Structure formats: structure tokens, C-alpha cells
Amino acid sequence: MEQTVVRVICAIGQSGQLGLNGELPWEGNRDPEYVADVARFFDITRGHVLLAGPKTIASVPEFAFADRTIGVLRSSMDPEETLKQYAGRVVYIGGGPPVWDIYARFVSHWDITRLPYDGPADRWFDPAWLTGRTSRDAPH
């Protein structure tokens, strides 16, 4: 059986910021580097699978549904069984910390853009995800 290739593409702020009040801290910023990051995301994921939580999928613009397979992840779903449905495909996992805590162990490639944002956040990138672990797995 063909392998599912699992990837993440995301952007972080200068200190690893990921979210603020349920959205990207830089949401709506029209400066060139932010606009380019969004365009790059849609370019790279084109033709592939994008799986994310309901809130993230709800924010995906209508045009994106035409040229990629998009699915909603739920906490009740078994990650291994979910990924098996896309054997032979490249699957991008979105949705931030709650989703990446579950799927990090399957991710073979992290594509991270560091944006010039250096403001407040309430969600942060966890470097443990890069090794397929979460901060809960780390020795205390």
C-alpha cells in the first residue's frame, strides 16, 4: 500500500506566535510579506489534501475547494485511520496546537515561515512537534 505523506505548512511570529483569540495574530495584515505567505500556502497545497479542525476549514475561501481535497478533523477521529484514507497522497495538516499535538508524530515535513510579527499571542509553536512529540511527552 502506498504511504501517505504528511506535512504541515504554517507561519509563526518572531517569538513563535501562532494564534490570538482564535485567529492568526496578524489576520488581515496587508503588508507584502503577509500577503505572500497566504498566497504561498494556497500555491503549495494546491492539488493535495488539506485536513484541519472545523474552525480552520470554515476560514478556507471557497476558491480553494476547487483544486484541493479538504476535510474536517474531529477529536473523535483516529489519526491513523484518517490518514490511511489518503494513501499515496500528500496531506497537509492544519489547525494549530490541538491538531498538531495529535498529528505531529506522523509529520515528515514542517514548512515554517517566520513572519515579522512580534506582538501578543495566546497560542505558540511547540518545537517538540518537530520531533513528533508534544510538550506533554517531554520529561519533567
Side-chain angles (χ1 to χ4, degrees):
M1 175 186 267
E2 288 186 82
Q3 195 85 14
T4 304
V5 178
V6 183
R7 297 176 173 215
V8 170
I9 180 171
C10 67
I12 62 173
Q14 292 294 298
S15 301
Q17 301 97 318
L18 275 174
L20 180 63
N21 301 321
E23 57 186 41
L24 298 172
W26 48 84
E27 191 73 40
N29 189 319
R30 302 297 301 161
D31 289 347
E33 54 270 79
Y34 298 94
V35 172
D37 179 64
V38 172
R40 184 173 177 274
F41 173 86
F42 286 113
D43 185 50
I44 288 174
T45 61
R46 185 179 298 115
H48 300 297
V49 178
L50 173 61
L51 301 178
K55 188 169 184 180
T56 299
I57 295 301
S59 72
V60 173
E62 194 61 37
F63 78 83
F65 285 78
D67 53 10
R68 61 191 50 75
T69 302
I70 297 178
V72 176
L73 295 174
R74 306 253 181 223
S75 58
S76 61
M77 297 167 74
D78 177 86
E80 290 184 52
E81 291 303 314
T82 300
L83 294 172
K84 281 182 187 176
Q85 296 174 43
Y86 303 100
R89 303 274 316 265
V90 174
V91 175
Y92 285 90
I93 303 292
V99 176
W100 295 333
D101 274 346
I102 295 167
Y103 284 85
R105 64 189 171 116
F106 302 103
V107 176
S108 63
H109 182 89
W110 290 83
D111 185 323
I112 304 166
T113 300
R114 193 162 169 231
L115 294 172
Y117 178 84
D118 206 18
D122 55 19
R123 301 261 178 155
W124 303 85
F125 187 85
D126 183 350
W129 293 325
L130 299 174
T131 62
R133 299 173 29 194
T134 68
S135 55
R136 291 175 278 167
D137 298 327
H140 292 50

